[in-house]
């Protein structure tokens, strides 16, 4: 009974059937739902017809049991409050409007959702999930179906599957040029084609879940096919990258939406905190954080690299980052700490790998070592965590700050591009990869796996080990997870 919290991917506001808005302009046109087979609907991924199929059940309108209503039966305040037709309206406002205008009765469309036990306590509405409303736009006119749901708080369009599975919002932070946008483009590229193999023959697969993902798809394509790097992010509020994750373990299946919001690095190191303060509440409601740190911004590493490989760097950038987080972000959090699961991600580990000797990084350090054939065991996570922390300690003040500010942190390192790429200055000083077909991302999916484990979406692989002596323990973890979370 009920449905998952309908959470906005942009502002993290949680809404429900009664308060969610419907887009009354962008509707499924001249068809009445009953008249046309569902497969004939517009080929729009966000259309409820695409995915819901037989799951969609319809219920009678709320007016079913008071058919005989006449004007005299309607309470005074409802008569006075004439509903104006507008682009975004709640379901009951559309219904009231149609009644006032004398149009045909509207029809609500519901989807049955099976809520997993881990969310049972978070359900506030026992009804099925409201996914659409059929209504008449004019007297004797055609019936259209509104199905695009909109956040009442910020008017962002919600993913079409919002409420039928949990939504997790992840905020991606990091100074300018730390590699956030390139990371999300690489992640999008990998997720779109990966098989997603995980321990015990389980698998994670993904679907694009937001029309705004097209922006990341374009960036990924120009990066992986032509080698064009994205310029610095200009938009303060970029549309998040939203993917629908499906995890399969034996005969069990679990789904969620994960929304990754790219930030403008410039805002994190700006002189004033206006743009950060404006997003404070969103930060406070984020389910998880990714904090990217570029090794090029660490003095020791910067100074040790040969001239040709140095990026321009501002030695104060981490100081400013820390003071801006403290001053403009932490006030939105209780006790001045960000307790949500966090992955501190050292980017551009290709540079560290290619300069390990010069930087005196031992080859046994997991940041520069070859990848083990089997990933995501306790040992694997621990080695990556330890290896990255050792290197992060080059910047002791940043390291301590991150540990204190994000107490639930896992440290890892990655490269969106891999060891063999050559970056050149193109025309108009835009950067370009000379050999895009040599791009080989390293550990790009790890942070997502870690976050999904921390959120309870995946079994805790970090408690599992390889080898027959661990089988009993591993199976116990999987079985507990199945019982509690599926
Ligand atoms: N060597 C190497 N360089 C990288 C990698 N990822 C990104 N870069 C370089 O870092 C630059 C900045 O990356 P972006 O992803 O645009 O940085 P950002 O964090 O989004 O920066 P803002 O948008 O300004 O906040 C790129 O143009 C590349 O030159 C990587 O994996 N390896
Ligand atoms: Mg960017
Ligand atoms: Zn919103």
């Amino acid at each position: 009974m009920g449905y998952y919290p309908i959470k906005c991917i942009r502002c993290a506001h949680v809404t429900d059937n009664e308060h969610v808005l419907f887009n009354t302009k962008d509707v499924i046109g001249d068809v009445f739902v009953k008249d046309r087979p569902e497969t004939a609907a517009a080929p729009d991924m966000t259309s409820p017809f695409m995915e819901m199929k037989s799951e969609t059940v319809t219920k009678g309108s709320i007016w079913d049991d008071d058919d005989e209503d006449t004007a005299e039966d309607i309470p005074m305040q409802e008569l006075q409050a004439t509903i104006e037709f507008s682009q975004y309206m709640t379901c009951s406002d559309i219904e009231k409007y149609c009644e006032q205008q004398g149009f045909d009765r509207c029809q609500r469309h519901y989807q049955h959702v099976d809520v997993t036990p881990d969310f049972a306590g978070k359900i506030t509405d026992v009804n099925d999930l409201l996914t659409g409303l059929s209504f008449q736009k004019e007297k004797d006119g055609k019936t259209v179906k509104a199905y695009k749901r909109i956040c009442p708080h910020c008017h962002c369009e919600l993913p079409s599957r919002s409420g039928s599975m949990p939504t997790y919002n992840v905020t991606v932070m990091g100074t300018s040029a730390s590699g956030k946008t390139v990371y999300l483009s690489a992640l999008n590229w990998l997720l779109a084609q990966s098989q997603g193999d995980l321990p015990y023959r389980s698998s994670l697969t993904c679907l694009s879940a937001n029309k705004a993902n097209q922006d990341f798809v374009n960036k990924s394509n120009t990066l992986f096919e032509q080698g064009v790097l994205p310029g610095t992010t200009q938009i303060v509020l970029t549309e998040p990258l939203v993917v629908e994750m499906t995890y399969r373990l034996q005969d069990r299946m679990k789904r969620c939406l994960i929304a990754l919001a790219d930030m403008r690095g410039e805002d994190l190191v700006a002189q004033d905190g206006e743009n950060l303060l404006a997003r404070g509440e969103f930060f406070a409601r984020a389910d998880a954080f990714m904090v990217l740190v570029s090794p090029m911004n660490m003095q020791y590493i910067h100074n040790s690299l040969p001239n040709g490989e140095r990026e321009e760097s501002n030695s104060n950038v981490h100081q400013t980052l820390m003071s801006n987080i403290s001053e403009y972000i932490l006030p939105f959090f209780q006790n001045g700490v960000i307790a949500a699961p966090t992955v501190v991600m050292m980017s551009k580990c290709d540079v560290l790998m290619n300069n390990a000797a010069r930087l005196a990084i031992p080859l046994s350090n997991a940041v520069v070592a070859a990848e083990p054939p089997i990933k995501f065991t306790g040992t694997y996570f621990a080695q990556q965590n330890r290896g990255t922390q050792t290197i992060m300690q080059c910047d002791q003040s940043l390291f301590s700050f991150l540990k204190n500010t994000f107490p639930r942190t896992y440290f890892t390192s990655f490269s969106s591009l891999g060891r063999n790429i050559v970056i050149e200055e193109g025309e108009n000083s835009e950067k370009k990869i000379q050999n895009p077909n040599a791009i080989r991302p390293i550990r790009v999916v790890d942070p997502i796996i870690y976050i999904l484990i921390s959120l309870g979406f995946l079994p805790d692989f970090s408690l599992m080990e390889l080898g027959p002596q661990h089988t009993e323990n591993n199976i116990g973890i999987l079985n507990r997870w199945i019982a509690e979370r599926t």
Side-chain angles (χ1 to χ4, degrees), residues 452-472:
L452 291 176
I453 289 175
S454 303
L455 295 169
F457 181 77
L458 292 178
D460 197 344
F461 303 127
S462 74
L463 300 174
M464 297 188 192
E465 292 296 347
L466 289 174
Q469 70 276 32
H470 297 291
T471 306
E472 197 183 324

Side-chain angles (χ1 to χ4, degrees), residues 7-13 150-156 158:
K7 195 195 294 178
C8 178
I9 50 171
R10 185 188 277 165
C11 76
H13 182 90
I150 310 291
C151 168
H153 198 68
C154 74
H155 286 188
C156 171
L158 299 164

Side-chain angles (χ1 to χ4, degrees), residues 176-177 179-182 219 230-234 262-265:
S176 208
K180 300 177 295 296
T181 307
V182 172
K219 279 185 195 148
T232 181
T233 304
Q234 311 268 5
D262 192 8
M263 271 187 77
R264 213 165 66 141

Side-chain angles (χ1 to χ4, degrees), residues 51-92:
E51 294 277 359
M52 285 163 193
K53 298 188 185 105
S54 58
E55 287 170 21
T56 309
V57 290
T58 51
K59 281 190 173 174
S61 122
I62 50 160
W63 296 330
D64 274 356
D65 48 10
D66 50 11
D67 270 348
E68 306 304 313
D69 269 357
T70 56
E72 294 107 88
D73 299 326
I74 301 171
M76 271 316 279
Q77 68 268 30
E78 289 199 19
L79 267 184
Q80 284 157 358
T82 311
I83 307 280
E84 295 283 332
F85 191 77
S86 61
Q87 181 168 13
Y88 300 138
M89 296 170 79
T90 64
C91 212
S92 54

Side-chain angles (χ1 to χ4, degrees), residues 311-362:
E311 277 180 17
E312 274 174 57
S313 103
N314 162 0
S315 57
N316 276 330
V317 76
H318 286 162
Q319 276 304 327
T320 321
L321 172 75
M322 291 187 277
S323 62
N324 278 9
I325 291 180
S326 301
E327 199 169 334
Y328 305 120
I329 297 181
L330 291 186
F332 290 91
F333 289 82
Q334 267 182 357
N335 308 323
V337 295
I338 300 180
T342 302
V343 185
V344 170
M345 300 158 54
M346 181 170 280
S347 61
K348 311 181 191 181
C349 78
D350 53 291
V351 177
L352 304 177
M353 290 171 155
N354 292 338
N355 294 283
R358 189 178 275 117
L359 295 165
I361 302 174

